[in-house]
Amino acid sequence: MVATNLKSETTALMEKRASIEAEMNAIIESLCGPGDPGISGDLVDREGFPRSDIDIPAIRSQRARLAALRNDHKDITDKIEKNLQVLHSVRVAKVAPLPSKDSDTSVYVHESTSQDSSMGEEPIVRIPFAMIDEIAYDSPAAEDGLQLGDEILKFGNVEIGGELQSRLVLEAQSNQGHPISMVIIRQGSVMNLSVTPRTWRGRGLLGCHFQIL
């Protein structure tokens, strides 16, 4: 069946994406070690000379590889999303009328009817829209439980869509001092947690960077 083949293809794409994410996380951790410039920091000193305390060619190579992986990740995520939309449409057509968008409140939502429980269920899967690619060890984000490499499915009222960076900033600013509920993926597992934007000794209210996927 077409649906079965598409499901197998989507599973393979998800496995490939997980492999890419693991490599991305390893590169980010390598670049963000103590004294290292991170994924976008300067490779020259204050006088404009190449830093002598780091391996500049290796860092440039890692950054280039990370950029390529991000492009691959975006392409695969787009393909997965399209496949899931097709699979969901096929399943809903066989089982029941389309549900309201407001009914989708979890990452994996199983819908079934008493008349069709034997047909098997396909999950409706939300796609992560951002990833934590930088985080300060003593920041509010770190203290509240966020970790490098966490993928964001929901940040307060922000989910996948347009103008994500500005919406994330606004969500944090408008909730300063108040907890924001989040849904994340960490090492393949879905987790719920909350973070409280607040002032600290560093920049911003969270002390982390959301890389839009």
Side-chain angles (χ1 to χ4, degrees):
M1 288 178 64
V2 174
T4 301
N5 293 338
L6 194 59
K7 182 178 179 181
S8 299
E9 177 188 323
T10 304
T11 300
L13 286 170
M14 287 180 171
E15 291 175 353
K16 185 176 181 180
R17 185 176 67 177
S19 176
I20 289 175
E21 289 167 353
E23 186 176 353
M24 289 171 63
N25 291 340
I27 292 174
I28 292 170
E29 289 180 5
S30 175
L31 291 173
C32 295
D36 290 325
I39 64 173
S40 59
D42 290 336
L43 303 182
V44 297
D45 58 25
R46 293 181 179 179
E47 297 179 351
F49 293 102
R51 289 177 54 178
S52 60
D53 60 326
I54 56 176
D55 188 343
I56 293 178
I59 291 171
R60 285 176 173 164
S61 176
Q62 286 182 307
R63 287 179 173 180
R65 176 60 178 164
L66 183 60
L69 288 171
R70 282 175 172 167
N71 289 333
D72 291 344
H73 187 279
K74 184 180 185 303
D75 290 342
I76 290 176
T77 298
D78 289 345
K79 180 62 175 175
I80 290 172
E81 186 174 15
K82 290 178 181 177
N83 286 3
L84 290 172
Q85 290 173 351
V86 173
L87 287 169
H88 183 211
S89 298
V90 170
R91 187 181 63 81
V92 169
K94 292 181 178 180
V95 178
L98 280 169
S100 168
K101 289 184 178 179
D102 294 337
S103 66
D104 182 19
T105 57
S106 61
V107 178
Y108 294 92
V109 181
H110 286 85
E111 300 172 335
S112 63
T113 66
S114 58
Q115 297 176 342
D116 197 56
S117 59
S118 63
M119 290 182 63
E121 301 174 350
E122 297 285 351
I124 303 172
V125 185
R126 287 184 179 171
I127 304 297
F129 63 83
M131 181 180 70
I132 304 295
D133 64 350
E134 291 185 44
I135 186 168
Y137 76 94
D138 58 347
S139 65
E143 290 180 354
D144 289 351
L146 281 176
Q147 295 182 12
L148 195 69
D150 285 347
E151 294 180 295
I152 313 303
L153 292 156
K154 186 175 182 180
F155 181 76
N157 293 317
V158 180
E159 296 184 70
I160 195 166
E163 301 180 351
L164 286 169
Q165 198 68 257
S166 60
R167 289 165 60 199
L168 288 168
V169 171
L170 180 61
E171 188 74 11
Q173 291 175 341
S174 61
N175 287 281
Q176 182 173 347
H178 303 283
I180 296 176
S181 60
M182 298 183 65
V183 181
I184 66 170
I185 297 177
R186 179 177 296 164
Q187 297 179 348
S189 299
V190 177
M191 299 178 59
N192 293 276
L193 52 78
S194 65
V195 296
T196 302
R198 53 191 183 272
T199 56
W200 61 299
R201 67 178 185 84
R203 296 173 56 187
L205 296 175
L206 291 173
C208 67
H209 180 260
F210 293 90
Q211 173 65 42
I212 304 302
L213 300 175

